[in-house]
Amino acid sequence: MKTLISKIFIAVMALFIMVGCSQEFLEEPKPTSGVSEDVVFGSREGVEAFISGIIRQFRGQYTSTDAAGLNSIFFARSVKGNDLIQENTWFTFDYANDNREPTYRRTTFTWNYCFYMINQANVLIAGVEESTALAPADKIELAANGYALRAFFYHQLVLDFCPTYSADVNFPAPPIYTVTSKEGHPMSTVGEVYKLIVDDLTKAVAGLTDDRLGKSYINKAVANAMLAQVYQVMGNWAGAEAAAKAAYGGDPEAVLDAASYRSGFDDIENIEWIWGSAQRSDQSNYYYNAPASMTDHLTTSYSATYINRDFVALFSPTDVRGYFQKKSASITNLNDYRYWITRKFTFTFEGDNAIFRTPEMILIEAEAKARLNDFTGAHDLLYTLQQDRDVNAVKSTNTGAALIEEILVERRKELYAENGVEWFDAKRLRRGITRTGNHRIGAAANLTADDKKFFLKIPQAEIDSNPFIEDAVNANR
């Protein structure tokens, strides 16, 4: 299959390139064109340099501004909901929930990019496990990086190309590759992909340590954060509770910093960031760097994202997260979609992107406790976060469904524009999203429960080149 083969070749080429991306990466990594796999996988330093090259690809300049690495996948999900409003520019078709056909850029980019990263992970796993030079303990830890990466990107694929786990575990899902291959594989199922993801993350959690080269790298906490999200989707609440707690450390007060919430969301060293994508001005993805490049209206950027008035109304005047302002004094009509903007993100060429933050893990643990009927535990966790964000917060007395709803709203308030949380929650819980307020595109972009618009069709190029995937694969998509 042509698409896959090209990605495999790119992945294998990464064996011969050591790329530096930020201060936390290896000291002055050098290009190593022509260096054999034996050299790359002949020392821990060589493997770490290879991992640096993989991590560098989290933020690239690929197809276009809205197809530029992991951050663009996250932002495409963010604009599909009710809380953000996107101008008629990049991401506008995602905002319209009309960007899922087999030849569309969103479909082809997300598929190709995720499989590219999966193939990188497979090269890493095989190279480490087949190495005769690495110490046994190093092999376990370094291979665990590969298992975590593979699981993470398979989760992105199954989220974007399939109905949610609880809807149909037998629904056709992207092919599974655990080694690099020149031959296409048949479609798998949602259940099979989630089994691979859980198996990989179980190995990753067991094999990783707390140490890492920097916060854009994976350690045990990051793998637990991945697992917490996966268990959320699967409805494994005991597993989600334990993994989320392990990811942030179990002491919520020690990992929250309200004062930093208005500092621009561009610094990976923030205590609340568990995992992020780092960059610097001379190795930047420049204006491809959504969400900041889209949401920041106070500097030179696309200034293309606005905030739904109904979402603004959810925040109290003393909530540090309610960092909104009017776009212009000349815009006085609340029905104008340009009325509200956010100052949450500051755009610079060296701005970092968050992937996992401690508040998300605290809220996953709180939701898990609520679903396991530990309402007191859920109240305590929720209030710790709410009080940190709002000095006038009042501790919840809700139970059951009302408490779940409160937690879901808190997730939207905490994580908006970061990772598509509103879309993620609606999809995993099999709910619709109804556009309200002052949207530029309203009811036409509504999503019903289990709407097919929650997932993408299989790329036509993949169908054309993989003999195991029939044209009919998109008939029910």
Side-chain angles (χ1 to χ4, degrees):
M1 107 183 155
K2 297 175 184 175
T3 300
L4 175 64
I5 291 172
S6 67
K7 296 307 175 187
I8 292 171
F9 287 161
I10 293 172
V12 173
M13 284 300 295
L15 287 168
F16 308 112
I17 302 174
M18 298 182 181
V19 183
C21 133
S22 73
Q23 293 177 354
E24 63 187 11
F25 283 12
L26 296 178
E27 290 294 323
E28 299 182 357
K30 302 294 193 297
T32 56
S33 179
V35 176
S36 70
E37 293 183 31
D38 289 342
V39 173
V40 174
F41 294 107
S43 68
R44 183 182 180 98
E45 292 74 19
V47 178
E48 287 175 340
F50 179 46
I51 293 172
S52 295
I54 299 175
I55 296 300
R56 173 66 178 84
Q57 302 311 312
F58 274 58
R59 45 167 194 80
Q61 289 182 304
Y62 293 95
T63 309
S64 62
T65 300
D66 55 6
L70 179 65
N71 60 299
S72 64
I73 294 175
F74 280 1
F75 195 68
R77 294 172 185 166
S78 293
V79 298
K80 291 173 185 279
N82 189 41
D83 297 338
L84 305 185
I85 301 169
Q86 189 68 2
E87 186 71 84
N88 187 21
T89 180
W90 302 110
F91 296 97
T92 190
F93 296 109
D94 301 294
Y95 169 67
N97 280 307
D98 186 26
N99 199 8
R100 62 185 301 271
E101 293 303 313
T103 58
Y104 286 8
R105 184 166 64 241
R106 175 65 51 221
T107 301
T108 55
F109 169 73
T110 300
W111 181 276
N112 290 341
Y113 174 72
C114 288
F115 269 119
Y116 164 50
M117 298 299 277
I118 288 165
N119 282 316
Q120 296 263 34
N122 283 337
V123 171
L124 171 60
I125 293 167
V128 168
E129 292 187 340
E130 294 170 8
S131 172
T132 58
L134 294 169
D138 286 342
K139 291 178 72 171
I140 292 171
E141 182 183 351
L142 294 170
N145 278 267
Y147 286 116
L149 284 164
R150 185 169 71 190
F152 179 77
F153 282 100
Y154 259 116
H155 198 213
Q156 306 317 307
L157 278 175
V158 77
L159 284 172
D160 267 355
F161 286 92
C162 301
T164 195
Y165 180 84
S166 62
D168 185 0
V169 294
N170 295 313
F171 193 88
I176 290 176
Y177 299 92
T178 56
V179 296
T180 56
S181 173
K182 294 183 179 180
E183 302 297 330
H185 288 192
M187 297 287 284
S188 65
T189 67
V190 169
E192 289 169 342
V193 172
Y194 271 96
K195 183 181 184 305
L196 172 70
I197 291 169
V198 171
D199 287 348
D200 277 357
L201 289 178
T202 300
K203 293 177 186 175
V205 169
L208 289 163
T209 69
D210 295 333
D211 297 329
R212 52 179 164 173
L213 296 176
K215 289 180 76 173
S216 63
Y217 293 83
I218 297 170
N219 65 359
K220 189 183 291 286
V222 172
N224 270 306
M226 295 177 184
L227 194 56
Q229 279 192 343
V230 170
Y231 281 151
Q232 255 192 314
V233 174
M234 299 177 72
N236 178 348
W237 297 113
E241 178 183 12
K245 186 174 183 178
Y248 77 83
D251 183 357
E253 292 183 350
V255 291
L256 293 174
D257 179 22
S260 69
Y261 199 89
R262 296 190 174 189
S263 63
F265 266 81
D266 60 354
D267 184 4
I268 198 171
E269 296 306 323
N270 189 309
I271 191 174
E272 294 188 349
W273 289 31
I274 297 172
W275 190 32
S277 181
Q279 62 178 342
R280 66 190 193 196
S281 58
D282 64 339
Q283 294 183 9
S284 172
N285 63 352
Y286 301 104
Y287 292 100
Y288 287 52
N289 196 35
S293 64
M294 293 292 154
T295 60
D296 187 352
H297 290 250
L298 305 182
T299 189
T300 302
S301 70
Y302 284 107
S303 304
T305 306
Y306 299 84
I307 309 300
N308 184 355
R309 70 184 188 206
D310 289 352
F311 185 58
V312 173
L314 294 176
F315 295 80
S316 78
T318 52
D319 191 329
V320 70
R321 300 168 300 184
Y323 203 19
F324 308 113
Q325 70 178 51
K326 296 178 182 179
K327 167 69 173 181
S328 169
S330 64
I331 300 174
T332 59
N333 184 353
L334 268 172
N335 291 320
D336 191 319
Y337 73 85
R338 301 168 300 167
Y339 192 89
W340 289 110
I341 61 172
T342 180
R343 296 185 63 184
K344 179 176 178 178
F345 303 94
T346 297
F347 175 66
T348 63
F349 287 163
E350 61 268 18
D352 307 325
N353 293 318
I355 303 174
F356 293 137
R357 292 195 300 113
T358 56
E360 179 180 4
M361 296 300 120
I362 293 167
L363 289 167
I364 291 175
E365 186 186 4
E367 182 183 353
K369 286 182 180 296
R371 294 188 183 277
L372 295 170
N373 296 320
D374 179 6
F375 301 132
T376 299
H379 290 155
D380 291 343
L381 279 172
L382 183 60
Y383 183 59
T384 298
L385 175 62
Q386 290 173 325
Q387 189 177 46
D388 181 81
R389 294 338 197 190
D390 185 350
V391 295
N392 293 320
V394 177
K395 192 170 188 177
S396 177
T397 58
N398 287 325
T399 59
L403 179 56
I404 297 295
E405 293 304 317
E406 185 178 359
I407 293 168
L408 294 177
V409 170
E410 204 66 32
R411 281 168 57 80
R412 287 165 56 200
K413 291 165 68 176
E414 180 64 41
L415 301 166
Y416 75 89
E418 294 180 46
N419 58 10
V421 63
E422 183 187 12
W423 176 91
F424 176 84
D425 285 351
K427 181 168 184 175
R428 69 181 172 94
L429 298 173
R430 304 178 67 183
R431 300 178 173 191
I433 299 177
T434 301
R435 291 266 170 95
T436 65
N438 56 324
H439 271 279
R440 184 174 67 84
I441 300 175
N446 285 350
L447 297 171
T448 59
D450 291 331
D451 201 315
K452 290 182 179 180
K453 290 185 288 186
F454 271 114
F455 56 97
L456 309 174
K457 295 184 179 181
I458 304 303
Q460 190 62 45
E462 185 74 12
I463 296 169
D464 292 343
S465 56
N466 186 341
F468 294 104
I469 300 180
E470 304 292 336
D471 289 337
V473 72
N474 284 326
N476 294 319
R477 291 176 180 268

